[in-house]
Amino acid sequence: MTDKIVVFVTVGNSKDAALNRQEPGEKRLAACANLLLGVASWYWWEGKVTEDQEVLLMIKTSRDRFAALEKEVLRLHSYAVPEVIALPIVEGFEELFELD
């Protein structure tokens, strides 16, 4: 097990994705981020199932940077209840995750 995580963040469009990718990267809160366009999302909102096209950010970072990254994403995000989910990276090429 590593101390590295991948953080999933969905946003409504590429402009929002750029904000949520660029600023955390500049602050060294993320080693890298991937942008996946055209994600079909279904979720409960205001008592009904909603379907939207979203953009998914996959952000790679370390556990000790998650709280600061989450705070930055919440500051920049346009959703009232944004998705910010972290999953452990069990194995991976260590040099990919250099943050310093």
Side-chain angles (χ1 to χ4, degrees):
M1 181 76 72
T2 70
D3 72 327
K4 307 304 188 254
I5 58 175
V6 62
V7 179
F8 295 112
V9 177
T10 52
V11 295
N13 57 55
S14 295
K15 182 181 174 186
D16 287 345
L19 284 174
N20 281 279
R21 171 186 48 82
Q22 184 175 4
E23 289 195 32
E26 289 173 356
K27 294 181 178 183
R28 306 295 288 175
L29 299 176
C32 63
N34 303 101
L35 199 78
L36 293 133
L37 303 171
V39 173
S41 297
W42 295 271
Y43 53 92
W44 279 96
W45 183 249
E46 297 180 342
K48 64 182 180 192
V49 175
T50 301
E51 181 179 352
D52 277 319
Q53 290 294 309
E54 294 184 297
V55 175
L56 175 64
L57 282 163
M58 292 183 359
I59 304 167
K60 276 70 88 188
T61 191
S62 57
R63 289 177 191 265
D64 63 341
R65 287 187 162 103
F66 177 76
L69 174 65
E70 180 184 46
K71 183 177 179 180
E72 189 69 7
V73 167
L74 294 176
R75 182 182 72 79
L76 296 167
H77 213 290
S78 63
Y79 289 179
V81 182
E83 174 186 72
V84 184
I85 298 172
L87 300 173
I89 297 174
V90 177
E91 295 290 337
F93 184 53
E94 282 294 319
E95 289 183 32
L96 175 65
F97 299 101
E98 293 298 322
L99 294 168
D100 298 318

